[in-house]
Amino acid sequence: KGDVREILRQEVAPETVSVFHIYFPDPWPKRRHRRRRLLTAEFLNFLYESLTAGGLIEIATDFEDYFLEIRESAAQSATKSGAVWKQTRESVNERLFTAVAQTNYELKYQKEARPIYYLELRK
């Protein structure tokens, strides 16, 4: 157990990861808790540096506000650090990377007809 940001910084060398899958991170919906959200521009920049050439990040969330914030954070990471995402794709209710394996959250939310927002960032 621990903070994934610290664990990754200690354990992952630059340019060694081909894919990061981040499914349904805690959206911390209360305004006073939003500072705890994982997918900030700084963290996305760290993930960018950890990816191999052509590597990607696949993100899924059911929380539209967080999805919009993540998308903005990706744009900010490019502006602030020079992390250039060669490809950015997004969709609603359509898994981009692989539709074969689905999480329990995806199956549950599909049954409930809830929208699921996907974002894929490729280095």
Side-chain angles (χ1 to χ4, degrees), residues 61-112:
T61 183
D62 64 313
F63 202 80
E64 184 179 20
D65 177 61
Y66 195 18
F67 172 76
L68 297 173
E69 185 176 307
I70 295 166
R71 195 170 62 184
E72 178 62 29
S73 293
Q76 287 177 3
S77 74
T79 302
K80 290 181 181 179
S81 69
V84 178
W85 300 106
K86 290 186 179 176
Q87 181 180 32
T88 302
R89 298 188 310 160
E90 58 186 73
S91 72
V92 178
N93 293 335
E94 181 184 341
R95 176 79 88 78
L96 296 167
F97 182 69
T98 178
V100 176
Q102 293 182 311
T103 70
N104 289 335
Y105 283 118
E106 285 171 299
L107 296 171
K108 176 183 173 182
Y109 296 161
Q110 286 172 356
K111 286 180 184 176
E112 296 174 0

Side-chain angles (χ1 to χ4, degrees), residues 57-59 67 70-71 88-90 118-121:
I57 304 171
E58 184 185 40
I59 302 165
F67 172 76
I70 295 166
R71 195 170 62 184
T88 302
R89 298 188 310 160
E90 58 186 73
Y118 295 97
L119 179 64
E120 182 181 277
L121 304 170

